[in-house]
Amino acid sequence: MTLGSCVFSGCVHYNTLYNAENLYQEAEDLRLAGQDSAVSARYREVVDKATGGYRADEAGGYADDTLLLIAKAHFRLGEIPEATRALERFFEVSEDADLRAQAALYRGVMAVAVGETARGLALLDMAIERVDEPTHLAEGHLWRARAFFRQGMEAQGWRDLDRAADISDAHIVTANLERIAWGFALPDLTRIHQGIQALIFTDRAQVYGDSIRSLAQLFAVRWGPLSAGVLLDNAENAHWSRDERDRLLMTRAGFAYDAGEVRRAERDVVVVGSGVGEMAASARVTLARWRFAQVVEVRQLARFRSVLLPAVSYEGAQVLLDAIRRVELLTEYGIEGEPVALIGAAEIARDVLVAGRLSAALFHRYAVAAPKGPWFGKALLASRELAPDPAERDRLDGLLDALPADPYVRYAHTGHGGTDLGELESRLQDVLDPLFTRVDEELRARRQLAGELEDEPADQPQK
């Protein structure tokens, strides 16, 4: 081979290596940004390009750089045997101290990855002292932390996770996700809190928003919603987008609500609901649903229109607004001489508004209005099931005990209502269906059905 061709060959190899290294860095940036679905093809391209370049000039001056790059790309793809072979060949040909230190570090990393924890620790202990480049050094600390934890050396593991996050900004997210994972495994609730708080204040962590909220939900299952809410302290100041902050606030609100801290829960939901868009609309629907649980009289429903109307373009709000109108109008029908309409109102209050107290009151109102009616037993049973007051349930039990022959009561006690029960249910539906149709026709005439009005074209200007 002539000198000219050698020079040319070296230039080609260098260009190939340069392009492969750029691809590898792009893949690393994507991986550390949480975009895992996009990286495998990049790493595979790195392997293909670098392998081709190495085979074209195995004795060239860039052979060791290329072999190390091939080893790292194979490792990212989970191809440990291939990565190990590339590293072994690297150590045969390279005399570069910096590259050998980096390669030794990845040899330790791969040992930990395949479960050779003690060997990996020994290799990493030596390599970490010789590596200066922050990104590689941080990864060494991250993998050594995993090895320490597996060996039961918790203090050393936490120390290395701290070092990984401190050394390289690129590893802050990875190190804190690892902190949370080991916090669950050990368990160490303080470390979980620290990890989530660090991620909340890291803008690049918002791509893991779903995972972080899921981890908080898991925490709530294990240690209770009140403690889980503490994990999301400062969520309103998260260095994330408005939508992602709002999702954190809604999760925190849910924890507070489940823990009985209703006012605290509502504060977060009101903040989210003050915005615009789907998240704000969802927050308003959530707020209305929570407040429906406290309603005991139909007239109280009117106050929720102001909560829901700003979100009227969203289906969830439309469903609730229309249900409110239907309950109000059916109750009017019931008061004006059609008691069975009260059962329809009660069922909508129970099933759509999830307003248990109101539903219980409406079922009871039917029972009072129609003590001889065919659905008296049904109404008493439904009211008893939904009544929050133990004394009221006891009172209703006394009334039900006096109705042993009622098909509904018999079914509740024995599980068998006979043919009478099916006939009563069929009759009830035959009565309610025309009532529901009449209600919707009247509401449509009044232009009070939110869902239908939303779809109507705007009025055309008069000529």
Side-chain angles (χ1 to χ4, degrees), residues 14-291:
Y14 175 79
N15 288 335
T16 301
L17 174 62
Y18 178 81
N19 292 332
E21 284 181 335
N22 283 340
L23 279 172
Y24 181 81
Q25 190 56 55
E26 289 176 13
E28 287 288 273
D29 291 343
L30 289 170
R31 180 180 66 85
L32 291 170
Q35 300 180 41
D36 294 341
S37 61
V39 300
S40 292
R42 300 288 181 94
Y43 287 126
R44 177 61 59 201
E45 192 173 355
V46 171
V47 169
D48 293 343
K49 283 184 177 294
T51 300
Y54 173 70
R55 288 173 178 168
D57 189 15
E58 295 185 15
Y62 303 107
D64 53 355
D65 299 81
T66 307
L67 285 165
L68 180 55
L69 185 63
I70 292 169
K72 290 191 295 184
H74 274 306
F75 173 63
R76 295 299 187 218
L77 289 166
E79 299 168 351
I80 304 299
E82 292 86 346
T84 300
R85 286 196 294 272
L87 275 184
E88 289 172 352
R89 179 60 181 152
F90 165 86
F91 281 111
E92 292 174 2
V93 304
S94 180
E95 297 181 358
D96 186 300
D98 290 337
L99 289 180
R100 288 179 69 86
Q102 186 187 140
L105 185 143
Y106 280 97
R107 178 182 273 173
V109 164
M110 285 189 279
V112 176
V114 298
E116 298 175 2
T117 306
R119 175 172 171 266
L121 265 177
L123 290 169
L124 286 170
D125 283 344
M126 290 186 292
I128 282 173
E129 297 299 323
R130 297 159 49 200
V131 172
D132 296 322
E133 199 281 323
T135 303
H136 297 131
L137 184 58
E139 184 160 19
H141 280 290
L142 181 66
W143 280 92
R144 191 170 70 173
R146 292 167 179 160
F148 279 138
F149 285 127
R150 292 177 191 172
Q151 297 286 79
M153 304 167 70
E154 296 176 19
Q156 294 91 328
W158 296 127
R159 181 196 64 205
D160 264 12
L161 283 184
D162 290 340
R163 289 287 294 139
D166 291 342
I167 290 170
S168 169
D169 288 345
H171 284 80
I172 289 176
V173 174
T174 306
N176 280 291
L177 288 171
E178 194 83 16
R179 189 191 315 278
I180 295 166
W182 284 106
F184 273 100
L186 290 174
D188 189 324
L189 276 59
T190 299
R191 300 290 182 174
I192 297 172
H193 180 265
Q194 290 174 347
I196 288 181
Q197 286 294 299
L199 293 175
I200 283 173
F201 288 104
T202 303
D203 55 358
R204 289 181 289 106
Q206 75 172 5
V207 299
Y208 293 98
D210 289 344
S211 298
I212 291 167
R213 291 191 298 277
S214 295
L215 288 167
Q217 296 284 359
L218 177 60
F219 190 102
V221 171
R222 292 191 183 181
W223 294 292
L226 190 61
S227 297
V230 177
L231 296 180
L232 302 182
D233 284 346
N234 306 305
E236 61 273 22
N237 299 316
H239 293 181
W240 295 4
S241 68
R242 172 66 187 262
D243 278 353
E244 288 298 328
R245 287 200 306 272
D246 284 349
R247 290 186 175 92
L248 286 178
L249 288 175
M250 290 301 292
T251 302
R252 188 172 73 181
F255 292 148
Y257 188 80
D258 290 343
E261 300 279 344
V262 177
R263 289 187 179 179
R264 180 183 298 180
E266 289 191 354
R267 281 200 298 270
D268 280 343
V269 173
V270 167
V271 169
V272 178
S274 67
V276 295
E278 191 170 353
M279 280 297 300
S282 176
R284 287 178 173 273
V285 169
T286 297
L287 182 62
R289 288 193 178 280
W290 286 351
R291 290 179 175 175

Side-chain angles (χ1 to χ4, degrees), residues 338-384:
E338 297 179 86
V340 72
L342 295 168
I343 292 181
E347 290 184 343
I348 294 173
R350 179 193 62 199
D351 300 336
V352 182
L353 300 180
V354 196
R357 294 185 179 187
L358 175 61
S359 181
L362 288 166
F363 276 120
H364 185 264
R365 194 163 188 171
Y366 167 82
V368 171
K372 302 296 185 182
W375 301 289
F376 179 71
K378 175 186 178 77
L380 286 182
L381 283 166
S383 183
R384 193 262 177 224

Side-chain angles (χ1 to χ4, degrees), residues 365-434:
R365 194 163 188 171
Y366 167 82
V368 171
K372 302 296 185 182
W375 301 289
F376 179 71
K378 175 186 178 77
L380 286 182
L381 283 166
S383 183
R384 193 262 177 224
E385 181 182 351
L386 296 165
D389 180 17
E392 175 64 8
R393 290 199 296 271
D394 289 342
R395 187 185 73 81
L396 291 171
D397 283 338
L399 295 174
L400 290 165
D401 288 342
L403 300 171
D406 182 278
Y408 290 100
V409 176
R410 188 167 65 247
Y411 180 79
H413 288 164
T414 67
H416 302 285
T419 57
D420 291 346
L421 182 62
E423 291 174 0
L424 284 170
E425 284 293 283
S426 180
R427 281 177 55 197
L428 177 61
Q429 201 60 50
D430 288 343
V431 174
L432 288 179
D433 284 345

